[in-house]
Amino acid sequence: MLEGCTPWPQDFVRDYLRSGCWEARSLAKVLEDRARQFPRRVFLADRDGRLDYEEFDRLAGRVALGLIERGLRPRDIVLLQLPNIREFAIVFFALHKIGAVPVMCLPAHRHSELAHFAQVTHATAHFFAPGFRGYDFLAMAREVQAGAPSLKLLVATGDGAEPGVTYLAPLMAPASRAADRAPAPSGAGGDPFDVAFMLLSGGTTGVPKLIPRTHADYLYNARMCVEALGWTSDTVFLAALPAAHNFALGAPGIVAALTVGASVIMCPSTDADEVFGAIERHRATVLPATPALIIALFNSAQRTRYDLSSLRQICVGGQRMLPELFDRVRATFGGALPIHAFGMAEGLTNLSRPGDPLDVQRETQGRPVSPADEIRIVDEQGIDVAAGEVGELITRGPYTIRGYYRAAEHNRSAFTAEGFYRTGDLVRLHPSGNLIVEGRKKDMINRGGEKISAEEIENLILSHHHVRMVAVVAMPDPVMGERSCAFVVPRNGASLTLAQLNEFLMDKKIAKFKLPERLEVVDALPVTAMGKVSKKALRERIAAQLGIDRRG
Ligand code: OOB
């Protein structure tokens, strides 16, 4: 396995191979197989049209050849930062044909995150869409490159003549018939049991952690999602949430669709009109969404203008879907079934099952997709709680990582000695065998499914010279579930406003969703009996304060 990763122990490897969880096939190989099996079936559609499996595979092959010509090599690590457009999937599979390893960056990431990923991985290339949402990604890419000498290649979507930039459009164009007949690099470049790509952790630490996922583990994860949800080659999956996120990428997502020869619609925006329009135009059957997105879609005046009757399943995850929201989804989207998706980039995916009794589907966050997933619910001492009691969910299995990339020290606390991943989620086992998420231990803000590490933002705020102490906590929000609130103790006599604080944080060039949305300036922070800052007391204080603000 790639240096810096933690392999599964040999006896587990043998078990996962023997039981058929892991197959010796890479992502590129699965694509090539599907292209042979379903050449004329649509794999991918977006605003620019449709690509069948064969065409798509050919395009990915051409791009792979072009990238090899420009110096990309097997096992190179690259930053993939593309929105939900066809190029996202084409480049993703082109990289797999080469055997290169993408880091799945979000379009929301900025210099600070990208520079960190480049520095940790020694990435050799950065893929981006120059003008996406009016932001100058090229300027950012150049700035990141200036500080990260390993980044030799900048690759932009479209066409252009900027010096030092490779453009994708010419790589996708047929060079000549002969070139297309030349053997495109095949999946041979990717060892099925080695790292295929790196996802990013929601984050509880000072800097985001990288999550190495192998071909075999991810394909198994995706296949089990397909099985749990009963997808077939007729499934039409609409990716409107960022495709680089595990939820839309494979759990269940684009890679899950690929395993059964289904179709994927790439939708670059979560704007209600765009999402509804894409559902209607492509007769989408499955929509993954966060509760925040579902609420925004409900609230859109446009909803009744579109024909949404093709929808069969609405997978809701990233945050807990309350039973009331489940009911509204059922009542509103003409017969589509809400599915709870309680997953994590580290691996474990829990889904509710269409065949379960309705009250179980409504009230629980589903159960693991694989019988080989081991889950335990433990107390502070690591001892299993009594059936039905709340405790921390810990897990290991054939698609849950054994360690973050190059993070030996953090891994010692994030995993148990037996290799269980400590999810930080507080759950309870329902008599049906499904899980109910009751809360979490980890120090993170879950803003509409986007995760913000309190520690990361606190460290940045502490570098402001007006700040003596800080604690960032979640405050309740009816749409986003949570938003972040910073409690600041200023230095003697200093003052600070939210606008000043956020201007300071924007200078640090971080993703915008991480900015605090409220600032409370206080004289002191409450502490626990152990002398630690009591975030619980702060969460309660801000929740009470918001209750007062909203009422009056
Ligand atoms: C998904 O993945 P991540 O890595 O962004 O975040 C994982 C964390 C979980 O540990 C949990 O705290 C929370 O997000 N979460 C949920 C949830 N789904 C995720 N909490 C309550 N209910 C749910 N349904 O968010 C993710 C990955 C794959 C599929 C779906 C979500």
Side-chain angles (χ1 to χ4, degrees):
M1 218 176 167
L2 186 72
E3 162 280 320
C5 300
T6 314
W8 281 264
Q10 270 311 315
D11 44 338
F12 285 85
V13 171
R14 270 194 300 275
D15 269 5
Y16 296 153
L17 285 170
R18 200 175 326 122
S19 57
C21 295
W22 289 358
E23 294 178 353
R25 277 200 302 174
S26 67
L27 282 158
K29 179 73 169 60
V30 174
L31 172 64
E32 287 154 19
D33 289 349
R34 291 293 166 271
R36 263 192 302 273
Q37 199 181 350
F38 303 120
R40 296 284 84 80
R41 233 179 240 288
V42 174
F43 175 46
L44 199 115
D46 64 6
R47 268 188 250 163
D48 297 334
R50 295 158 202 259
L51 292 170
D52 66 31
Y53 269 88
E54 191 181 74
E55 276 174 283
F56 180 89
D57 184 45
R58 198 180 316 122
L59 272 177
R62 267 184 216 150
V63 171
L65 282 174
L67 293 174
I68 290 171
E69 274 166 26
R70 279 155 189 81
L72 212 64
R73 293 285 166 265
R75 299 175 82 90
D76 272 6
I77 301 181
V78 306
L79 308 180
L80 179 59
Q81 189 186 29
L82 292 175
N84 293 11
I85 52 178
R86 61 177 55 194
E87 287 87 345
F88 172 94
I90 293 170
V91 171
F92 181 74
F93 284 100
L95 292 168
H96 291 311
K97 282 177 182 281
I98 300 170
V101 178
V103 177
M104 308 305 289
C105 309
L106 299 175
H109 284 136
R110 294 293 175 261
H111 307 66
S112 161
E113 290 92 359
L114 291 159
H116 168 66
F117 304 144
Q119 187 225 325
V120 176
T121 63
H122 304 300
T124 58
H126 181 181
F127 294 79
F128 55 91
F132 182 62
R133 295 218 176 114
Y135 183 74
D136 190 347
F137 281 86
L138 173 59
M140 176 174 75
R142 288 208 194 279
E143 212 176 312
V144 173
Q145 186 184 38
S150 64
L151 282 174
K152 293 191 293 280
L153 204 58
L154 298 187
V155 187
T157 54
D159 205 352
E162 286 286 343
V165 178
T166 295
Y167 286 90
L168 278 172
L171 298 194
M172 283 159 55
S176 68
R177 290 267 205 75
D180 266 349
R181 276 201 301 271
S186 80
D191 171 353
F193 305 111
D194 211 329
V195 179
F197 52 84
M198 300 207 203
L199 296 172
L200 303 171
S201 79
T204 53
T205 53
V207 284
K209 292 277 177 292
L210 292 124
I211 299 173
R213 300 290 303 261
T214 66
H215 296 263
D217 96 61
Y218 207 71
L219 282 163
Y220 178 64
N221 189 175
R223 284 202 314 271
M224 294 316 281
C225 288
V226 160
E227 216 170 275
L229 299 180
W231 288 8
T232 66
S233 56
D234 292 332
T235 296
V236 181
F237 177 85
L238 180 80
L241 295 179
H245 190 280
N246 189 33
F247 190 14
L249 185 64
I254 298 170
V255 174
L258 169 75
T259 66
V260 275
S263 308
V264 174
I265 314 303
M266 295 299 255
C267 179
S269 158
T270 52
D271 176 74
D273 257 330
E274 294 242 13
V275 174
F276 292 143
I279 295 171
E280 182 179 88
R281 215 168 24 257
H282 299 285
R283 309 283 307 151
T285 65
V286 180
L287 173 71
T290 56
L293 174 57
I294 288 293
I295 294 169
L297 295 179
F298 276 140
N299 292 342
S300 158
Q302 311 302 324
R303 182 159 46 81
T304 50
R305 290 189 25 221
Y306 292 91
D307 174 8
L308 308 178
S309 63
S310 57
L311 279 178
R312 294 283 167 272
Q313 295 176 343
I314 302 189
C315 301
V316 183
Q319 257 183 335
R320 180 174 165 171
M321 163 167 57
L322 294 173
E324 297 71 40
L325 190 60
F326 181 97
D327 296 339
R328 279 186 73 189
V329 171
R330 272 190 86 214
T332 311
F333 291 109
L337 186 67
I339 305 273
H340 288 269
F342 165 35
M344 50 209 75
E346 287 80 0
L348 182 69
T349 314
N350 302 280
L351 295 174
S352 54
R353 307 295 205 272
D356 279 353
L358 201 61
D359 60 323
V360 174
Q361 290 189 50
R362 180 174 182 270
E363 280 148 39
T364 75
Q365 277 62 64
R367 60 179 179 278
V369 292
S370 162
D373 284 316
E374 299 176 66
I375 55 169
R376 290 174 54 198
I377 302 173
V378 300
D379 64 16
E380 294 286 333
Q381 276 70 50
I383 299 171
D384 295 76
V385 299
E389 297 287 306
V390 176
E392 183 184 6
L393 175 66
I394 64 171
T395 182
R396 66 182 182 190
Y399 62 91
T400 296
I401 55 161
R402 293 297 186 119
Y404 294 97
Y405 179 63
R406 291 189 172 158
E409 196 188 321
H410 179 63
N411 287 339
R412 275 192 280 281
S413 56
F415 296 82
T416 71
E418 296 77 38
F420 281 81
Y421 165 59
R422 299 186 209 269
T423 66
D425 292 314
L426 296 173
V427 305
R428 177 160 71 79
L429 191 63
H430 185 267
S432 60
N434 283 17
L435 297 169
I436 299 180
V437 182
E438 294 285 3
R440 63 168 181 267
K441 293 175 62 166
K442 50 190 169 190
D443 197 7
M444 159 194 115
I445 294 98
N446 191 340
R447 183 186 187 275
E450 287 194 289
K451 314 302 182 322
I452 305 166
S453 156
E455 186 187 325
E456 180 183 350
I457 305 307
E458 286 164 359
N459 287 343
L460 294 174
I461 296 178
L462 268 181
S463 65
H464 192 295
H465 58 275
H466 287 188
V467 174
R468 193 155 67 84
M469 282 171 82
V470 61
V472 174
V473 299
M475 56 183 179
D477 182 82
V479 175
M480 292 309 218
E482 298 174 10
R483 292 180 190 268
S484 84
C485 172
F487 281 86
V488 165
V489 181
R491 286 191 187 280
N492 282 347
S495 68
L496 190 64
T497 64
L498 181 64
Q500 288 165 342
L501 175 63
N502 283 343
E503 199 180 318
F504 173 78
L505 289 174
M506 283 311 282
D507 273 352
K508 304 280 180 192
K509 300 175 178 173
I510 56 170
K512 211 168 164 189
F513 68 82
K514 298 178 180 175
L515 295 181
E517 288 168 275
R518 185 169 172 129
L519 170 68
E520 294 283 306
V521 176
V522 291
D523 293 336
L525 297 175
V527 288
T528 63
M530 307 293 286
K532 273 180 59 182
V533 171
S534 173
K535 293 218 162 170
K536 183 163 176 279
L538 290 173
R539 279 194 299 269
E540 286 166 5
R541 189 192 297 184
I542 190 62
Q545 180 63 41
L546 287 173
I548 294 166
D549 290 0
R550 283 200 189 111
R551 274 195 299 276

